[in-house]
Amino acid sequence: MRLILATAALAALTACSGNSSGTKTNTTTTTSAVTAAPSPATAGTVVKIGIDLPLSGGDASVGISTEQGALLAIEQMQKSMPRGFTLQGVAVDDAVQGVHNPEQGAANVRSFISDNAVLAVVGPYNSNVARAQIPVTNAASMAQIGPSVVADNLTLGPEAKQLRRTNPNLITFFRVCTTDSRQGSALAQFAQSLGYKRAYIIDDNETYGLDLADRFEKDFTADGGTVLARDHLAKNTQDFKALLLKVAAAKPDVVFFGGVTSTGGGLLRKQMYGVGLGKVAYFGGDGIADLATVAGAQADGSYYTLAAPNAEKLPAAQAFVKAYRARYSSDIGPYSANAYAAAQVAANAVIRAIGKGGGVPSRADVVARVATTKIETPIGSISFDKNGDVTNPVLSLYGFKNGQSYFIRQIQLKL
């Protein structure tokens, strides 16, 4: 498991700058020499925000840019910390053998809980990892803010309540993104707008993929479309030729995939070309935002949504975009701004919980402050409803051309 510590010390942070090679080393710094905090203390009290994301393997292309957004927020929020306090980010990898892993995710949050200085968690990236983590963070009254986890049943309905089995009336899981159901609905409507009437649905049989595919199927058929068939991928499958020959025989207008690139979405699209399906549209949610990393130019003709605004297009996000480029010498990733906002929420709650008393707050104190959050972030105003969902959800729609993702439009959702 990879672990990274980050503090507000900009010079020191340069030394632990993110990269895509998966070769970061442990870095711990002190802030007394370079921090802008007004504290005269030479040995400040350290409080931490844990960050759990997939940082290696197939998910790293989106996980690292998400991590970097969170770390940038923690760096910048140090200047708002009360006197004598140092804010650190502690990032860990929940991927095992290159793929996000729920058991590793649960182990990671247990490690955060064992460290009394960790007061809140940002992450994970994947819904099935969140499903494994929420019972653990709920039992510890630890606030957890997801930048990108979209499965409806993490916050809504009886399944969400079952995840809070230790403290059923205490909401500890929050998210700054919208839900699968809204992504699925938007994609179904977009498919219809392009004239597609015959869909073949495939999912990866994971929490996120099933949820997304269910909603697409429901809305696509409700709008007059026909779902020709639906199949689930077996875990770790690499050769989809037999399945794709079956798909080709059904003659769909569109193939919808519920899942992520690393669980088969990338190879599936790439192999569609081998059975004569290369010109058939391919749809999915934010899990295939990195589709071109596997499919390359064969991603062309694919469409996906992000459960986030396009920060590049938001006037309120321009300072963040500029700071990110300066800090990491790269463009932002699909959920960098969301991760920044999630870490900003966590840090803001810690600061308010410390308050005028100046003592280290309890995790329950921090949870209470997260629940009453009302702050401005690069992705807009953030507050949460009674279930922990953001009250101002936004979706963005993208396509692929020449092996590159391009922005189509933003969708402001009404609750």
Side-chain angles (χ1 to χ4, degrees), residues 55-380:
L55 301 173
S56 61
D59 292 329
S61 62
V62 289
I64 289 175
S65 61
T66 305
E67 172 206 19
Q68 290 173 336
L71 289 175
L72 182 60
I74 292 169
E75 293 174 29
Q76 295 184 344
M77 289 295 285
Q78 173 63 34
K79 64 175 182 269
S80 300
M81 289 298 291
R83 181 184 298 271
F85 282 88
T86 296
L87 184 64
Q88 288 185 346
V90 186
V92 295
D93 183 2
D94 64 33
V96 175
Q97 296 181 342
V99 181
H100 56 279
N101 182 280
E103 291 75 23
Q104 184 61 58
N108 290 348
V109 293
R110 289 191 189 97
S111 73
F112 291 148
I113 291 165
S114 69
D115 182 348
N116 290 332
V118 178
L119 297 181
V121 175
V122 171
Y125 192 87
N126 301 93
S127 293
N128 63 338
V129 178
R131 175 164 289 281
Q133 292 177 333
I134 292 172
V136 181
T137 50
N138 175 261
S141 300
M142 174 90 85
Q144 182 174 10
I145 303 107
S148 58
V149 283
V150 290
D152 288 48
N153 55 18
L154 298 176
T155 57
L156 303 172
E159 291 183 62
K161 192 167 185 177
Q162 178 59 29
L163 295 177
R164 304 191 303 269
R165 45 189 171 268
T166 302
N167 296 303
N169 296 318
L170 178 64
I171 301 296
T172 54
F173 177 73
F174 305 83
R175 53 184 163 191
V176 299
C177 57
T178 188
T179 59
D180 266 347
S181 60
R182 295 182 182 279
Q183 285 200 96
S185 295
L187 287 162
Q189 291 173 23
F190 184 59
Q192 295 278 355
S193 75
L194 295 179
Y196 300 144
K197 299 294 184 184
R198 296 162 54 86
Y200 199 110
I201 298 177
I202 302 169
D203 65 66
D204 64 2
N205 217 18
E206 291 194 1
T207 303
Y208 160 76
L210 288 166
D211 207 27
L212 181 65
D214 285 348
R215 188 58 187 226
F216 177 85
E217 182 173 5
K218 179 181 178 182
D219 283 31
F220 189 76
T221 53
D223 291 340
T226 300
V227 173
L228 303 169
R230 178 168 172 177
D231 286 296
H232 309 290
L233 298 186
K235 192 173 183 179
N236 298 324
T237 301
Q238 301 291 307
D239 185 350
F240 300 110
K241 185 176 181 180
L243 170 61
L244 289 170
L245 286 171
K246 179 182 169 186
V247 174
K251 301 185 183 308
D253 300 324
V254 56
V255 173
F256 183 88
F257 179 67
V260 303
T261 297
S262 65
T263 57
L267 287 176
L268 196 67
R269 177 57 179 168
K270 192 172 184 177
Q271 293 174 21
M272 282 173 65
Y273 281 78
V275 296
L277 290 170
K279 293 186 178 180
V280 174
Y282 187 65
F283 273 46
D286 55 332
I288 63 166
D290 58 344
L291 184 65
T293 61
V294 174
Q298 292 173 325
D300 289 8
S302 303
Y303 299 93
Y304 67 95
T305 49
L306 281 185
N310 181 348
E312 300 270 9
K313 305 293 184 183
L314 295 178
Q318 294 312 300
F320 158 73
V321 172
K322 182 178 179 181
Y324 185 97
R325 286 179 177 147
R327 175 69 180 81
Y328 299 111
S329 300
S330 65
D331 291 335
I332 61 172
Y335 282 109
S336 299
N338 274 36
Y340 184 101
Q344 193 180 348
V345 166
N348 177 270
V350 169
I351 291 168
R352 288 188 290 132
I354 292 171
K356 294 181 181 179
V360 177
S362 68
R363 288 164 175 164
D365 289 338
V366 175
V367 168
R369 268 63 176 193
V370 171
T372 58
T373 291
K374 288 183 179 179
I375 62 171
E376 295 299 321
T377 76
I379 60 172

